[in-house]
Amino acid sequence: MRHFAIVGSGPAGFYTAEALEKAYGEAARIDILDRYPVPYGLIRFGVAPDHQSLKAVSKRYDKTAESAGVDFIGNVTIGRDVSIAELRDLYDAVILATGAPHDRKLGIPGEELPGVIGSAEFVGWYNGHPEFTDLDPFLAGSHAVVVGNGNVALDCARILSKTRHEFEGSDIVGHALEALDASATRTITILGRRGPHQIAMTPKELGELGHLEAAVPVIDGADFPPVEADESLEPGLRKSVTLLRGFADLPQDKPKRMVFDFFAKPLRVEGEGRVERVIVERTELDEKGAARGTGHTYEVPASLVITAIGYSTSPIPDVPFDGGKFVNDAGRIADRLYAVGWARRGPTGTIGTNRPDGYEIAEQIAAAMPAGSSSEREGATGLKRLLESRGVMPTDYDDWRKIEETEVSRARPGSPREKFVRHRDWLQVLGR
Ligand code: NAP
């Protein structure tokens, strides 16, 4: 028998479990650990609540969780409740699938002013992440600024612009729905430090903006190169740029505007006691395609600033870390210690990109310890004994299901569930 511990129950963790299960069948026990009593990480806390079709991938993970060789062990924080060294003693291999939950910083003056928040915080707030329940983003002003030209920036801008009616069928949490419904935001400026040809937004996500109930996207044709230049773009990006250009033809007859401001690099954030404006420098592309300041500056009014410029992984004591992700060589960190997904590659790619990652790690592990080989390691039995001795009470598959069923049973009309937003509420459902 072999024992494997996967730390983190998001897409990367579940694809790895699926791959290990396929490779080992009954010859391995696979434990998926998470600091929360409910799994699915990015799917639950990161994917936008109005993108239920993307969340449907969790049905596949459900199947893995239900496999005989796989167990979910929640409510355990690795690096705090159990060390990596202890985990490596107990398991044949430890795979870190902890994602990238922290916001990268802009590193400009004024970033610390109240009213400037990161996308991980904002996304966590509307998705019921317990760490961000009390974020209370300032929505009483008319002008919000989102920094970044990726899909997360689009998620944030779209959520800020939507009406209550447009959230029907989503699993947005109640506190966010009420706050957004009462929001005074009328202009959402999306700042891109480079141009339309350099966006990291995908066509499906951009296309949605043309069909919003109360908001219209706005572009400035002067930011675009001649249309013939689009021919050299790869097809996905070309489609995105065509969609962007098409926004120029939309009637400007809706109360909210989503303004794409390209070649606009934030220099500093200003305000008396809280954010009031972003000072931006006009940029141009240098020879290498990077943003170069032109010296021309202007201000964009802002009562709320959301930075959506990428994420970093949480360090874990005794695991080499490069400031953004774990130091690894093709997923291998050290003997019997691996990283997958964003913790391995950094925060890029779609949910599905994590699948080949997980399969590759499973292959590496199976090559090092072929199915049929065995060890004396204790796996979950030893882990649970250790946790008990420290007063940590892990949760299991049945606990997770009980929480989920309770969430579904208390859902608002038009919502698939009403998520719990505090750690203690999860534990209360379990009678702890
Ligand atoms: P991303 O795609 O890497 O985009 C980050 C953006 O931030 C880029 O436009 C980047 O501009 C900009 N940026 C970085 N540093 C900056 C700075 N100092 N000042 C101004 N702008 C800065 O990251 P993401 O949006 O966080 O998304 C992460 C991954 O999740 C992506 O692969 C994304 O496609 C995926 N995702 C997918 C979906 C979906 O499929 N619906 C939804 C959300 C996220 P430069 O290009 O100039 O560096």
Side-chain angles (χ1 to χ4, degrees):
M1 180 60 73
R2 291 288 183 179
H3 295 273
F4 301 123
I6 297 170
V7 183
S9 65
F14 264 93
Y15 285 123
T16 308
E18 178 189 296
L20 284 171
E21 218 265 329
K22 278 194 181 150
Y24 284 85
E26 290 175 1
R29 305 269 341 152
I30 301 153
D31 294 332
I32 305 177
L33 314 180
D34 203 287
R35 61 187 166 139
Y36 297 127
V38 283
Y40 297 158
L42 182 89
I43 304 290
R44 182 179 172 109
F45 297 122
V47 172
D50 57 342
H51 281 172
Q52 289 294 308
S53 58
L54 283 179
K55 295 198 177 205
V57 70
S58 64
K59 299 264 177 296
R60 177 180 179 143
Y61 309 153
D62 283 349
K63 288 211 171 66
T64 302
E66 284 153 15
S67 316
V70 176
D71 275 323
F72 175 72
I73 304 180
N75 212 29
V76 177
T77 300
I78 305 308
R80 184 193 69 188
D81 301 331
V82 189
S83 72
I84 280 290
E86 287 165 335
L87 217 52
R88 285 171 78 190
D89 271 349
L90 291 165
Y91 287 88
D92 291 294
V94 174
I95 302 105
L96 303 179
T98 49
H102 299 301
D103 287 299
R104 272 197 210 132
K105 292 283 176 202
L106 275 170
I108 60 172
E111 193 174 8
E112 66 296 333
L113 277 174
V116 183
I117 57 177
S119 55
E121 298 173 281
F122 185 60
V123 170
W125 171 74
Y126 62 63
N127 267 328
H129 192 298
E131 268 176 39
F132 306 116
T133 298
D134 299 320
L135 182 72
D136 197 16
F138 187 78
L139 299 171
S142 62
H143 205 138
V145 166
V146 179
V147 183
N149 266 184
N151 280 328
V152 172
L154 277 191
D155 278 349
C156 294
R158 188 182 70 254
I159 295 291
L160 279 172
S161 78
K162 276 199 165 179
T163 62
R164 176 181 281 273
H165 175 243
E166 286 172 294
F167 284 115
E168 262 177 40
S170 80
D171 65 345
I172 191 165
V173 292
H175 65 231
L177 181 64
E178 295 309 323
L180 289 164
D181 193 35
S183 162
T185 307
R186 291 294 170 268
T187 305
I188 302 150
T189 299
I190 302 175
L191 295 179
R193 64 177 170 182
R194 299 191 291 159
H197 274 197
Q198 287 75 39
I199 54 169
M201 302 163 175
T202 44
K204 183 178 162 291
E205 283 61 33
L206 266 174
E208 286 177 68
L209 303 188
H211 308 282
L212 294 170
E213 207 169 84
V216 63
V218 180
I219 54 125
D220 179 350
D223 287 333
F224 288 69
V227 72
E228 303 80 61
D230 294 3
E231 281 163 28
S232 62
L233 301 175
E234 63 82 17
L237 181 55
R238 196 186 320 141
K239 207 167 171 187
S240 290
V241 173
T242 305
L243 282 161
L244 270 177
R245 288 187 191 273
F247 292 161
D249 302 326
L250 292 174
Q252 302 287 309
D253 56 355
K254 294 180 180 166
K256 297 184 193 178
R257 286 154 44 89
M258 195 182 288
V259 181
F260 285 85
D261 194 354
F262 292 109
F263 299 108
K265 182 173 107 174
L267 282 187
R268 61 184 180 276
V269 181
E270 291 182 350
E272 283 301 315
R274 58 166 300 105
V275 55
E276 291 172 17
R277 67 196 82 83
V278 182
I279 307 300
V280 167
E281 181 177 23
R282 186 57 73 209
T283 65
E284 58 190 11
L285 295 180
D286 69 13
E287 317 60 51
K288 291 184 179 153
R292 172 171 60 202
T294 60
H296 170 65
T297 62
Y298 58 99
E299 67 175 62
V300 179
S303 38
L304 172 70
V305 174
I306 302 173
T307 60
I309 59 165
Y311 297 127
S312 62
T313 296
S314 292
I316 296 179
D318 302 324
V319 182
F321 187 67
D322 72 5
K325 58 181 170 19
F326 298 120
V327 178
N328 70 88
D329 180 9
R332 184 182 176 280
I333 300 172
D335 183 36
R336 301 184 300 101
L337 181 63
Y338 301 87
V340 280
W342 283 7
R344 165 189 176 176
R345 305 187 316 272
T348 57
T350 61
I351 291 164
T353 314
N354 296 300
R355 188 173 176 275
D357 250 31
Y359 274 75
E360 198 188 316
I361 293 303
E363 264 175 43
Q364 285 189 41
I365 293 172
M369 35 188 116
S373 64
S374 64
S375 76
E376 297 302 309
R377 294 183 199 276
E378 276 190 284
T381 312
L383 175 64
K384 285 178 185 164
R385 195 175 54 237
L386 195 64
L387 291 172
E388 197 182 342
S389 74
R390 291 174 185 170
V392 180
M393 289 211 279
T395 57
D396 63 14
Y397 177 86
D398 291 340
D399 295 330
W400 144 27
R401 289 301 186 197
K402 190 168 175 187
I403 291 169
E404 253 188 20
E405 278 160 23
T406 313
E407 287 183 338
V408 171
S409 71
R410 58 201 280 281
R412 300 182 308 271
S415 163
R417 67 175 56 177
E418 178 67 31
K419 288 191 246 174
F420 288 109
V421 297
R422 292 185 196 279
H423 206 122
R424 64 164 186 267
D425 293 337
W426 286 325
L427 299 183
Q428 207 170 22
V429 170
L430 304 177
R432 305 241 175 119

